[in-house]
């Protein structure tokens, strides 16, 4: 079995304690595919020390913006070159479709390209105070930025925060998710190294959340945190940040609803559902996990959605023709089973799927629940599996009320051909992004983040760079 290591100070190293390893499985086969050093506190200390030294050396801060941009574009080139090799590893550790795994490296490259364009546009302003004072603002990085990455999009999510943090001039320590560390520690780290990133600016360690994750976010030399993952862990991380009064970017989960108007093109809803709730086995923070359909179209839509769910081919992410891939772990599979059971007990009707697939691997059937009531657990909590809840409404006010009636507010959507209705809905729905007649319409350039408990920061787009910078005001008495 291949052994993987941490990437600290420009070198691949084992943990300081011998024998501390994490074994990684292929969720489609349950086979062990690799073993990686597991960071303990001493390893976190080494990674933070390397980041701190590189920050204090000013190697990145003093690098002219155009040179920083060019280094970032080299990283992008290396990531694109690595997409085939990296995609293979990512496909087997995460379970996702091979083309989707390869695309994560392309997506990552896009982030580095996009934020490379901002390195020379981090501009302050001058402020009139009085004729005897020259007052101006500048933006400065925080220093050492800690990035905690989830297992659903290990490469994309990492690149999203890292590229922005790097463009801003921070040094970074990344903790990968313990379930999916391999492609990051090997291929992603190699791309960073091949691009010629000076040692210590980007360090990548693997370890458990409660161990290395906690040691990292509570480390005295970490000045800022970026986290993507569950609401529960997000709150733990915000507590750690509060303890040291440092800022944290948090992008958390969701229970996002699509409102289907009577005039909607139902095939557009079905096409969206294929990627947005059954793709990636539903393990998507902004998944379209609720459909709120007008009573005049609900039954027809449920038929179409259940036909879709029943037509999906279950298989390994690397097999041609596979639609439905496994969820990440046995634990996640059991969680989904429990949700499904709770839905059935509460009176919802599983018109497609509803149970685990009878084969090796952590597969759950593509599931459509009809007759879901707004207060049911399956309408309220993030399931993070291929499970769609369909609810019914009679008038628009009721649709908005059902859609907004959860603790989350990550994304929302509306399907209608009436532009007035679409814009009116879009302004009433709680969500950091609202999609009309599709799902996932964004790119690296569109700001992304949550309302309510889905978080309050924004990643992607020009807005995100401010999360990785602090503002300084300078006044000169003339
Ligand atoms: P999680 O939120 O616990 O894990 C995400 C990352 O946080 C991992 O790297 C983990 O090691 C780290 N972490 C955990 N505890 C930590 C701590 N105390 N300090 C620092 N880092 C810590 O997610 P988990 O438990 O793997 O998945 C459970 C649920 O989380 C899923 O069912 C899903 O609902 C949600 N989730 C949401 C994601 C999103 O994109 N919004 C991504 C992953 C999970
Ligand atoms: Mg090196």
């Amino acid at each position: 079995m291949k052994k993987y290591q941490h990437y600290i100070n420009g070198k691949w190293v084992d943990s300081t304690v011998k024998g501390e390893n994490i074994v990684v499985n292929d969720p489609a086969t349950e086979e062990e595919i690799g073993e990686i050093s597991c960071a303990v506190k001493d390893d976190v200390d080494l990674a933070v020390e390397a980041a701190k030294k590189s920050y204090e050396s000013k190697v990145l801060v003093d690098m002219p913006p155009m040179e920083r941009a060019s280094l970032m574009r080299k990283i992008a080139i290396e990531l694109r070159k690595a997409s085939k090799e990296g995609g293979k590893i990512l496909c087997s550790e995460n379970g996702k479709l091979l083309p989707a795994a390869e695309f994560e490296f392309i997506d990552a490259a896009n982030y580095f390209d996009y934020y490379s364009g901002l390195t020379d546009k981090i501009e302050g302003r001058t402020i009139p105070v009085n004729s005897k004072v020259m007052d101006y603002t500048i933006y400065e990085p925080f220093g050492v930025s800690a990035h905690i990455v989830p297992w659903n999009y290990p490469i994309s999510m990492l690149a999203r925060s890292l590229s922005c943090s790097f463009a801003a001039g921070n040094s970074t320590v990344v903790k990968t998710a313990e379930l999916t560390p391999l492609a990051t520690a090997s291929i992603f780290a190699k791309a960073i190294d091949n691009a010629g990133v000076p040692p210590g600016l980007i360090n990548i360690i693997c370890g458990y959340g409660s161990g290395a994750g906690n040691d990292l976010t509570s480390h005295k030399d970490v000045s800022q945190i970026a986290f993507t993952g569950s609401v529960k862990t997000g709150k733990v991380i915000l507590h750690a940040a509060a303890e040291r009064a440092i800022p944290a970017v948090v992008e958390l989960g969701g229970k996002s609803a699509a409102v289907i108007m009577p005039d909607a093109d139902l095939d557009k809803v079905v096409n969206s559902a294929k990627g947005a709730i059954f793709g990636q086995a539903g393990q998507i923070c902004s998944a379209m996990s609720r459909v709120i359909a007008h009573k005049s179209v609900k039954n027809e839509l449920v038929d179409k959605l259940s036909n879709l769910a029943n037509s999906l081919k279950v298989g390994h992410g690397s097999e041609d023709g596979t639609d439905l891939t496994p969820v990440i772990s046995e634990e996640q599979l059991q969680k989904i089973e429990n949700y499904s059971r709770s839905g059935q007990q509460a009176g919802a009707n599983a018109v497609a799927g509803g149970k685990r697939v009878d084969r090796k691997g952590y597969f759950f059937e593509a599931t459509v629940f009809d007759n879901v009531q707004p207060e049911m657990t399956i309408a309220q909590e993030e399931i993070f599996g291929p499970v769609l809840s369909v609810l019914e409404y009679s008038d628009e006010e009721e649709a908005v009320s059902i859609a907004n009636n959860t603790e989350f507010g990550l994304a929302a959507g509306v399907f209608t051909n009436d532009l007035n209705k679409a814009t009116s809905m879009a302004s009433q729905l709680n969500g950091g992004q609202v999609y009309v007649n599709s799902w996932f319409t964004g790119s690296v350039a569109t700001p992304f983040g949550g309302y309510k408990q889905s978080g309050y920061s924004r990643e992607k787009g020009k807005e995100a760079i401010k999360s990785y910078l602090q503002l300084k005001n300078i006044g000169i008495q003339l």
Side-chain angles (χ1 to χ4, degrees):
M1 194 163 45
K2 190 163 178 215
K3 176 79 206 292
Y4 295 77
Q5 294 173 301
H6 310 297
Y7 179 69
I8 299 176
N9 209 20
K11 293 195 173 66
W12 281 269
V13 294
D14 278 329
S15 295
T16 48
V17 179
K18 288 268 160 305
E20 287 284 331
N21 294 313
I22 293 175
V23 175
V24 178
N25 295 305
D26 180 330
T29 62
E30 300 179 37
E31 275 162 23
E32 296 179 351
I33 54 166
E35 186 180 37
I36 186 163
S37 291
C38 174
V40 295
K41 187 162 184 316
D42 284 349
D43 305 304
V44 174
D45 287 346
L46 286 174
V48 174
E49 193 186 316
K52 189 180 175 209
K53 275 208 178 117
S54 75
Y55 183 73
E56 287 174 348
S57 79
K58 294 189 183 285
V59 60
L60 189 58
V61 173
D62 283 350
M63 194 183 284
M66 286 293 196
E67 259 176 54
R68 196 186 293 172
S70 140
L71 178 56
M72 291 181 71
R73 288 197 293 269
K74 279 189 197 139
I75 298 174
I77 289 167
E78 292 297 329
L79 286 169
R80 286 198 180 88
K81 272 199 253 171
S83 67
K84 290 274 172 214
E85 198 190 353
K88 232 178 250 158
I89 300 175
L90 182 57
C91 169
S92 61
E93 66 180 330
N94 171 280
K96 65 178 62 198
L97 292 175
L98 182 60
E102 289 173 359
F103 178 73
E104 282 207 39
F105 284 84
I106 307 297
D107 199 33
N110 292 343
Y111 279 113
F112 277 92
D113 274 342
Y114 178 80
Y115 285 110
S116 78
L118 286 194
T119 55
D120 58 352
K121 297 170 192 73
I122 300 170
E123 299 163 347
R125 60 194 178 108
T126 58
I127 300 168
V129 174
N130 65 50
S131 62
K132 293 281 181 279
V133 171
M134 156 78 180
D135 190 285
Y136 62 100
T137 60
I138 57 171
Y139 285 98
E140 295 182 333
F142 284 99
V144 178
S145 174
H147 296 225
I148 307 280
V149 182
W151 42 259
N152 56 344
Y153 291 93
I155 301 294
S156 285
M157 294 298 98
L158 167 57
R160 186 173 76 176
S161 57
L162 175 62
S163 58
C164 200
S165 168
F166 193 88
N170 296 285
S171 295
T172 307
V173 177
V174 176
K175 191 203 76 68
T176 57
E178 54 271 43
L179 293 164
T180 57
L182 304 183
T184 314
S186 56
I187 309 301
F188 190 93
K190 221 191 290 168
I192 299 293
D193 206 68
N194 288 348
V197 173
L201 283 182
I202 297 171
N203 307 277
I204 299 170
I205 58 174
C206 175
Y208 293 106
S210 54
N214 181 59
D215 292 333
L216 179 59
T217 51
S218 55
H219 197 288
K220 68 176 176 37
D221 291 327
V222 165
S223 307
Q224 188 259 2
I225 300 169
F227 171 77
T228 306
S230 62
V231 172
K232 190 164 153 248
T233 305
K235 288 177 182 172
V236 172
I237 282 172
L238 286 171
H239 276 284
E243 203 54 54
R244 300 191 37 258
I246 61 169
V249 170
V250 286
E251 199 275 274
L252 310 176
K255 187 73 181 176
S256 304
V259 174
I260 318 303
M261 303 280 212
D263 72 328
D265 180 340
L266 299 185
D267 292 329
K268 284 187 182 162
V269 182
V270 175
N271 280 338
S272 297
K274 188 170 183 197
I277 187 65
F278 301 132
Q280 175 83 19
Q283 303 164 114
I284 309 170
C285 54
S286 50
M288 188 176 92
S289 51
R290 290 182 297 152
V291 157
I292 303 172
H294 189 265
K295 61 181 184 194
S296 64
V297 294
K298 203 258 317 182
N299 288 344
E300 188 188 348
L301 181 59
V302 166
D303 283 347
K304 282 177 182 274
L305 288 167
S306 71
N307 286 343
L308 167 72
N310 291 327
S311 75
L312 299 178
K313 185 170 171 279
V314 174
H316 195 284
S318 67
E319 283 163 22
D320 273 349
T322 296
D323 302 300
L324 189 68
T325 50
V327 299
I328 192 72
S329 62
E330 175 64 30
E331 194 189 339
Q332 191 69 16
L333 183 60
Q334 284 175 13
K335 225 178 99 180
I336 299 165
E337 280 186 299
N338 288 339
Y339 275 120
S340 180
R341 213 169 293 129
S342 106
Q344 296 178 46
Q345 281 163 1
N349 183 12
V351 291
K355 56 184 195 306
R356 70 158 70 197
V357 181
D358 185 19
R359 62 176 277 168
K360 212 165 175 57
Y362 314 125
F363 291 91
F364 197 83
E365 291 173 342
T367 300
V368 178
F369 271 108
D370 191 10
N371 294 330
V372 178
Q373 300 306 315
E375 66 285 357
M376 287 180 187
T377 307
I378 57 165
Q380 290 291 329
E381 294 186 13
E382 183 177 43
I383 298 175
F384 233 58
V387 179
L388 177 63
S389 294
V390 181
L391 298 93
E392 184 182 298
Y393 75 91
S394 308
D395 60 48
E396 280 165 38
E397 202 181 318
E398 189 186 9
V400 172
S401 145
I402 296 172
N404 290 345
N405 174 33
T406 74
E407 293 183 336
F408 300 101
L410 193 53
V414 52
F415 288 77
T416 176
N417 288 314
D418 182 332
L419 198 54
N420 289 326
K421 288 219 158 100
T423 49
S424 158
M425 259 306 156
S427 70
Q428 294 179 75
L429 294 172
N430 292 159
Q433 35 280 310
V434 179
Y435 308 115
V436 178
N437 289 332
S438 183
W439 207 265
F440 308 137
T441 55
S443 76
V444 298
T446 54
F448 183 93
Y451 277 29
K452 303 199 284 189
Q453 298 215 14
S454 296
Y456 47 77
S457 331
R458 289 295 173 272
E459 296 271 25
K460 311 204 295 180
K462 281 195 277 189
E463 285 80 359
I465 194 116
K466 293 276 167 73
S467 302
Y468 297 92
L469 291 161
Q470 48 192 340
L471 184 63
K472 182 178 278 177
N473 180 259
I474 300 167
I476 303 173
Q477 184 73 56
L478 298 171

